[in-house]
Amino acid sequence: MTFTKVTEQTSDYRHLETMSIREVLTNINKEDQTVPLAVEKAIPQIMKLTAAITDKMLAGGRLFYMGAGTSGRLGILDASECPPTYGVPQGLVVGLIAGGDSAIRRAVENAEDDMEQGWRDLLQYNISDKDVVVGIAASGTTPYVIGALQTCRSQGIITGSISCNPGSPVSAYADYPVEVVVGPEFVTGSTRMKSGTAQKLVLNMISTTVMIQLGRVEDNKMVNMQLSNEKLVDRGVKMVMEQLQLAEYEEAKTLLLEFGSVKRAVESRK
């Protein structure tokens, strides 16, 4: 079967340079509105991948995201927000990008074309079959990601993928492929746009659902969040006041800071 990169097909819009600012913004927004609908179609795939990740993490495993360019940066963003949001240890969710940390801010030429480097990067973390590796590639053809997933499968490590082309090569090396087909980009081939938005939505869904399953959320509250700034301390104090029915702000704040998290502060009074 011939593989067609939908993400590289010509934009449905022509002569963008002749559009007014309003027209450009309106048309980008019109395209963006199609992304959640494409994600909705992929929920059965997302559900299978999320369940597999949850099972491994409940058993003590870790989650690794791998990608290049925008895809890699989105994985790092999602991974980096798990500790402060849910109070999990650093290293439980790890984001890797082709070219290393310097590629987060500046493109590293040809880094994504190395089929071997992805696996070498995983070895730095003592990857094992306890873990799950999810490759993120809008095109579904990134060698850095494909090579890593291929080796992971040969080592008995569960793999997943998030791509925006149907039947892509990266899906062939994923035990749990997710394909969110958003169609051609507003600017032809600029996958940081709709494809990037789709990947971000899927990553939000996966990590949030996994953390809920791991018991890091109670009711609808981030009861394990890190108290790293005044805004979060204030949010935590109000949670403690609500859950313990305390009227005094300072009393709740003292309790929160003593125990270091909403969950522990509340449990200390029960």
Side-chain angles (χ1 to χ4, degrees):
M1 182 176 68
T2 303
F3 170 60
T4 301
K5 287 187 182 181
V6 178
T7 54
E8 297 294 329
Q9 290 182 352
T10 301
S11 171
D12 293 332
Y13 301 82
R14 299 296 304 276
H15 307 297
L16 308 186
E17 72 280 4
T18 67
M19 293 181 182
S20 68
I21 290 175
R22 183 178 183 84
E23 287 173 327
V24 171
L25 296 176
T26 298
N27 287 325
I28 290 174
N29 179 250
K30 180 180 177 182
E31 288 299 298
D32 286 345
Q33 290 178 46
T34 68
V35 176
L37 299 177
V39 173
E40 182 181 21
K41 293 178 181 178
I43 285 178
Q45 294 178 325
I46 300 168
M47 183 174 66
K48 291 177 183 177
L49 174 57
T50 303
I53 293 169
T54 299
D55 288 345
K56 283 292 185 179
M57 295 187 79
L58 283 171
R62 298 167 294 173
L63 169 60
F64 288 83
Y65 295 132
M66 304 193 70
T70 297
S71 297
R73 295 182 189 103
L74 288 171
I76 289 171
L77 174 62
D78 196 72
S80 66
E81 291 180 342
C82 287
T85 306
Y86 301 108
V88 296
Q90 293 286 344
L92 186 67
V93 184
V94 179
L96 300 176
I97 186 170
D101 286 353
S102 61
I104 297 172
R105 292 181 178 273
R106 182 175 298 179
V108 177
E109 297 299 330
N110 303 320
E112 70 177 67
D113 296 328
D114 191 336
M115 285 279 290
E116 308 298 328
Q117 188 58 49
W119 177 248
R120 288 196 290 266
D121 288 348
L122 287 170
L123 287 177
Q124 298 298 313
Y125 291 84
N126 298 313
I127 189 77
S128 77
D129 60 7
K130 295 180 180 179
D131 305 316
V132 180
V133 177
V134 177
I136 311 169
S139 67
T141 60
T142 308
Y144 173 81
V145 174
I146 292 173
L149 296 189
Q150 187 175 13
T151 305
C152 283
R153 291 189 77 178
S154 72
Q155 299 294 318
I157 298 168
I158 287 180
T159 57
S161 65
I162 304 170
S163 63
C164 296
N165 283 316
S168 68
V170 76
S171 294
Y173 292 105
D175 298 308
Y176 300 96
V178 174
E179 296 178 338
V180 184
V181 184
V182 296
E185 298 287 357
F186 179 73
V187 175
T188 300
S190 182
T191 53
R192 73 183 185 87
M193 301 185 77
K194 288 193 299 182
S195 296
T197 300
Q199 291 172 329
K200 180 67 169 71
L201 292 177
V202 173
L203 290 168
N204 284 349
M205 294 166 75
I206 291 172
S207 58
T208 302
T209 305
V210 168
M211 291 300 154
I212 291 171
Q213 299 304 306
L214 293 180
R216 309 306 296 183
V217 174
E218 292 181 2
D219 188 13
N220 55 15
K221 303 294 195 300
M222 298 182 290
V223 295
N224 291 286
M225 66 182 181
Q226 293 178 357
L227 306 174
S228 55
N229 57 49
E230 284 301 319
K231 177 190 74 175
L232 296 179
V233 170
D234 179 67
R235 182 184 297 167
V237 170
K238 290 172 181 175
M239 288 185 206
V240 171
M241 292 177 70
E242 177 185 347
Q243 293 193 39
L244 294 180
Q245 298 183 332
L246 296 178
E248 294 296 327
Y249 185 94
E250 290 303 323
E251 179 186 357
K253 184 175 182 179
T254 299
L255 188 65
L256 175 67
L257 295 179
E258 178 184 353
F259 287 93
S261 77
V262 173
K263 183 177 179 66
R264 290 193 291 270
V266 171
E267 287 178 347
S268 72
R269 290 291 183 90
K270 290 185 175 180

